[in-house]
Amino acid sequence: MLKTEFKNNILTAYIDGEIDHDSAAKIRTRIDGCTQSLKPKLLCLDFSGVTFTDSSGVGLVMGRYRQMKLLGGALRVVNIPENIYRIFAMSGLESLGVLR
């Protein structure tokens, strides 16, 4: 479901499967724990393995964006499947400049 890698002050979280209310809570807990302890300059959420998300995925990204701002870092969301990109764009995430 989630694999993390920390290198060159970049924390990358590789997310797999579906993101719904329950899985988003577990993913959020793991990522938040890593960012609090490692304090990366950049948090990169890799969505290449995500097959489905609803508003829980949007909330996951928004919360990590706020957390990284508080830590003085930045967020990037990469390798977003087209169907999920559309959801993110409609939700306003595109205007934050975090989607790649």
Side-chain angles (χ1 to χ4, degrees):
M1 176 182 279
L2 180 70
K3 181 184 136 209
T4 59
E5 174 182 81
F6 185 64
K7 185 168 48 174
N8 298 326
N9 222 2
I10 299 170
L11 175 63
T12 303
Y14 300 93
I15 305 169
D16 285 322
E18 297 184 356
I19 301 175
D20 58 20
H21 178 74
D22 292 333
S23 64
K26 293 173 187 167
I27 293 166
R28 179 175 52 249
T29 300
R30 286 223 18 230
I31 292 173
D32 288 355
C34 289
T35 55
Q36 288 299 321
S37 63
L38 299 171
K39 304 218 182 326
K41 288 295 179 196
L42 176 64
L43 171 61
C44 184
L45 302 179
D46 188 315
F47 269 65
S48 60
V50 177
T51 56
F52 167 83
T53 193
D54 53 17
S55 60
S56 300
V58 173
L60 176 73
V61 172
M62 285 296 296
R64 303 316 45 82
Y65 174 78
R66 284 191 295 272
Q67 182 190 39
M68 289 306 296
K69 285 290 182 194
L70 288 172
L71 292 173
L75 172 73
R76 295 287 173 265
V77 185
V78 299
N79 300 322
I80 309 164
E82 185 61 36
N83 59 323
I84 294 172
Y85 192 95
R86 284 194 298 271
I87 293 168
F88 286 174
M90 285 189 295
S91 70
L93 286 178
E94 202 169 39
S95 66
L96 297 178
V98 300
L99 305 181
R100 300 278 186 262

